[in-house]
Amino acid sequence: MNRTPASSASSAQERDAEAVGTGRAGGAPLSHGLKQRHLSMIALGGVIGAGLFVSSGTGIAAAGPSIVIAYALSGLLVMLVMRMLGEMSAANPASGSFSVHAERSIGPWAGFTVGWTFWVLLCVGIAAEAIGAAGIMVKWFPGTESWMWVALFMVIFCGTNLAAVGNFGEFEFWFAALKITAISLFLVLGVLAILGVLPGTDAPGAANLTGTHGFLPNGLDGLVLGLPATVFAYGGLETVTIAAAESEHPVQGVASAVRTAMWRIAVFYVGSMLVVVTLIPWNDPSVVADGPYVAVLERLDIPAAGQLMNVIVLVALLSAMNANIYGASRMAYSLAARGEGPSVLGGVSGGVPRATVVASSTFGFFAVLLSYWWPDTIFKWLLNMVGAAVLIVWGFIAVSQLRMRRRLERETPDKLVVKMWLFPYLTWVALAGTVVVLALMTRESDTRTQLYFSAGLTAALAVVGYVRQRLAAARG
């Protein structure tokens, strides 16, 4: 007898409870070795990436001081997405996170599509971050080759992820601590400089905010062009809901992480951008060439500002690399355990899905090799392929939450530990916001290419997932 979508979703929930929650598919459970302090710092540090320290300069060049508005708008969108994801993850913690939620609420094809899309996104991210980190090391040690550092970083982080989930947690704990300390010191120095109490500085007032062609120097078009760039800077926050499934107290952990998302985004992103555009002219060439943070620190005559920021950027890259190996391995494991991937990837040893850790690291390392062999063709194609993937993931999250919330209210209302604000209105606002940003990507040739490639990947996976679902239904 063919199963209906509802019965398929119910079956998916049962399979996930067995395979992901207890790990029976692999004969052993996933470890719950992440402590609450690990999860808290992953949530705090996950919002601070290399994109904030370096790539934000491009957004400032496009939008001028109005980049603050762009980060605030995209930050609101991210907060809504994280609130929706937090609601579902607190109700049903799982290592597959939004892939599991999509399978339960939409159907197996959706879980398959969004899960493997995210896996490819993270694996390509591993390669990009390894290349970026190696580039910094080569500058410090001119006699070395980039591939040497890539190989070293791959061995280190693949090894730590293979050993125990607690190792991942410890690395992320200290990485996050360093990033938070750095951004906090930057904000303190920036505020003191704005007030004119930092030695050797004068209060700039609103001169840089309004003096060079105004707050919107490139008009609304500049703000619109800067908006997509700010959205992608928030990528990576989803990892905390994946990690929550392996924490000591999954429900409380993810609830706490989601509830603190608002002030993290407001302080770290919007606050630091406001400091930057207040202290330095938005069209200063150093903002793009050196990165906005280095430009500000050098303007304040902070000794060795460039090298200090290189250390922070290196930490941010290695942190993202470590988190991506972890997130990719858990997503692949969850998919395999639910029958949506090769069964060989569904095993657990010592509380760790070691096969998926190796597979994810291998894909990342192979992508690095592609960047050396064909830097202008295949590797660029891979980067384009995942350019809009995070927005596609957010779209699946919104649709999943719309469908799952009603079911939770009807069947298990006690599981609604975290609730989406003003449901369903803000869910629809988040979904509309995601669509708007995707539409804005069609305005520029580079982002348009990324959108089309990402859409092609998603469509191909959706077709495969739907065919698999139909074949499974036919087999009864």
Side-chain angles (χ1 to χ4, degrees):
M1 180 177 67
N2 291 348
R3 292 181 294 175
T4 64
S7 64
S8 295
S10 176
S11 176
Q13 183 169 348
E14 293 169 2
R15 289 202 315 275
D16 183 65
E18 293 178 357
V20 179
T22 66
R24 292 177 194 169
L30 286 175
S31 168
H32 287 268
L34 290 178
K35 302 181 185 299
Q36 187 58 42
R37 67 181 179 89
H38 293 151
L39 203 62
S40 297
M41 290 302 277
I42 289 169
L44 284 166
V47 77
I48 307 172
L52 174 63
F53 291 116
V54 181
S55 303
S56 53
T58 304
I60 293 173
S66 67
I67 192 69
V68 176
I69 295 177
Y71 270 105
L73 290 174
S74 56
L76 286 172
L77 174 59
V78 173
M79 282 192 284
L80 295 178
V81 171
M82 286 303 296
R83 189 74 183 186
M84 290 184 287
L85 185 53
E87 177 183 287
M88 295 185 290
S89 296
N92 298 293
S95 62
S97 188
F98 45 82
S99 172
V100 172
H101 307 323
E103 181 168 342
R104 290 173 175 173
S105 58
I106 304 173
W109 72 269
F112 177 92
T113 302
V114 72
W116 285 115
T117 297
F118 193 69
W119 184 80
V120 174
L121 166 66
L122 293 186
C123 288
V124 174
I126 292 169
E129 285 133 15
I131 293 168
I136 294 174
M137 298 304 292
V138 168
K139 290 180 182 178
W140 288 346
F141 302 94
T144 59
E145 296 290 338
S146 181
W147 66 267
M148 298 176 183
W149 295 107
V150 170
L152 177 62
F153 295 147
M154 282 292 180
V155 169
I156 290 173
F157 293 113
C158 180
T160 55
N161 275 276
L162 282 172
V165 69
N167 290 337
F168 159 74
E170 281 299 319
F171 267 99
E172 285 304 293
F173 179 87
W174 293 108
F175 280 155
L178 184 55
K179 289 188 291 183
I180 291 166
T181 300
I183 199 75
S184 299
L185 286 174
F186 176 83
L187 288 169
V188 170
L189 290 172
V191 171
L192 292 176
I194 290 171
L195 295 175
V197 298
L198 191 69
T201 62
D202 296 318
N208 292 322
L209 291 174
T210 60
T212 310
H213 306 298
F215 188 73
L216 283 163
N218 296 318
L220 286 176
D221 278 350
L223 177 61
V224 165
L225 290 176
L227 191 60
T230 64
V231 168
F232 297 123
Y234 290 107
L237 277 172
E238 306 86 359
T239 302
V240 71
T241 61
I242 296 175
E246 292 183 77
S247 66
E248 294 174 319
H249 306 290
V251 175
Q252 297 91 326
V254 73
S256 175
V258 169
R259 284 170 180 152
T260 58
M262 182 177 296
W263 71 263
R264 292 200 314 270
I265 290 171
V267 172
F268 293 145
Y269 275 85
V270 181
S272 63
M273 282 298 104
L274 182 58
V275 166
V276 169
V277 295
T278 301
L279 288 176
I280 193 169
W282 65 270
N283 57 352
D284 189 311
S286 64
V287 171
V288 175
D290 303 326
Y293 292 82
V294 172
V296 168
L297 292 175
E298 290 185 341
R299 178 65 65 94
L300 299 179
D301 290 325
I302 303 298
Q307 288 305 319
L308 286 173
M309 284 309 304
N310 273 336
V311 172
I312 301 304
V313 171
L314 177 65
V315 168
L317 287 166
L318 295 180
S319 173
M321 185 179 170
N322 185 40
N324 284 351
I325 291 175
Y326 171 82
S329 66
R330 269 46 178 189
M331 183 60 74
Y333 162 73
S334 174
L335 287 160
R338 287 180 279 135
E340 302 293 349
S343 59
V344 69
L345 300 179
V348 177
S349 175
V352 176
R354 293 194 168 114
T356 58
V357 171
V358 172
S360 301
S361 299
T362 300
F363 187 99
F365 189 72
F366 182 66
V368 171
L369 295 178
L370 293 179
S371 76
Y372 295 133
W373 295 334
W374 300 287
D376 297 322
T377 52
I378 295 182
F379 187 66
K380 186 176 181 180
W381 178 80
L382 280 174
L383 289 174
N384 283 333
M385 189 169 62
V386 299
V390 69
L391 285 165
I392 293 169
V393 169
W394 292 355
F396 273 101
I397 289 172
V399 174
S400 299
Q401 193 266 340
L402 276 172
R403 297 171 66 90
M404 183 176 288
R405 173 65 174 268
R406 297 302 188 195
R407 184 181 301 164
L408 288 171
E409 288 176 334
R410 184 174 61 252
E411 298 175 1
T412 53
D414 57 301
K415 286 188 173 184
L416 286 170
V417 179
V418 178
K419 288 187 177 182
M420 178 60 181
W421 305 299
L422 296 176
F423 177 82
Y425 307 109
L426 286 185
T427 300
W428 282 109
V429 168
L431 187 57
T434 302
V435 172
V436 167
V437 177
L438 286 169
L440 292 178
M441 292 184 69
T442 63
R443 293 171 58 95
E444 289 289 307
S445 59
D446 287 346
T447 54
R448 184 164 55 244
T449 301
Q450 293 172 11
L451 175 62
Y452 295 159
F453 272 75
S454 298
L457 170 67
T458 305
L461 288 171
V463 169
V464 173
Y466 182 74
V467 170
R468 286 172 56 87
Q469 179 177 322
R470 296 292 296 176
L471 290 175
R475 290 194 298 267

